[in-house]
Amino acid sequence: MAAQGQAGIQKLLEAEQRAAKIVADARKAKSQKLREAETEAQREVDSFRQKREGAFKTFTSEHQGSTSQHTQKLKVETDQKIAALNQHAAGAREKLVQQLLSYVTSV
């Protein structure tokens, strides 16, 4: 009977060792899967970041242009406004001269 008790205890110890090995293997597998998932997530984040940065650079290059382009555009707009003001002044000049002459001669 003592031999049976010893054999039973030995079987329990072996079963406990197998269970501990299974748990340890499961923990290792879980840890490995977590590392792989983290690596994959980091790759996806990097890929997304590169795409967004590329889109941003494209957007800024399209909307900013070069300084010389902006300067040229402002110069054209300014010249157009000056020409419009000169035209308006030329049209009003004759009327103003007539008014001044009428005031001077009526005194």
Side-chain angles (χ1 to χ4, degrees), residues 12-84:
L12 286 174
L13 287 174
E14 289 172 3
E16 185 178 343
Q17 287 175 350
R18 284 193 308 266
K21 183 174 179 350
I22 291 171
V23 169
D25 291 343
R27 285 184 180 154
K28 286 179 186 177
K30 178 182 175 184
S31 176
Q32 180 64 27
K33 285 182 182 180
L34 284 173
R35 275 189 246 117
E36 289 172 1
E38 183 179 344
T39 302
E40 179 63 26
Q42 187 61 44
R43 272 190 242 127
E44 288 180 16
V45 166
D46 292 341
S47 173
F48 179 76
R49 180 178 290 130
Q50 287 176 348
K51 287 178 186 176
R52 295 299 288 175
E53 286 176 354
F56 177 72
K57 286 178 183 178
T58 301
F59 176 81
T60 54
S61 67
E62 288 175 357
H63 290 87
Q64 280 185 340
S66 67
T67 305
S68 63
Q69 289 174 338
H70 288 299
T71 304
Q72 183 65 26
K73 183 179 176 184
L74 285 174
K75 184 178 181 330
V76 168
E77 289 176 4
T78 304
D79 290 343
Q80 289 173 348
K81 288 180 181 179
I82 289 172

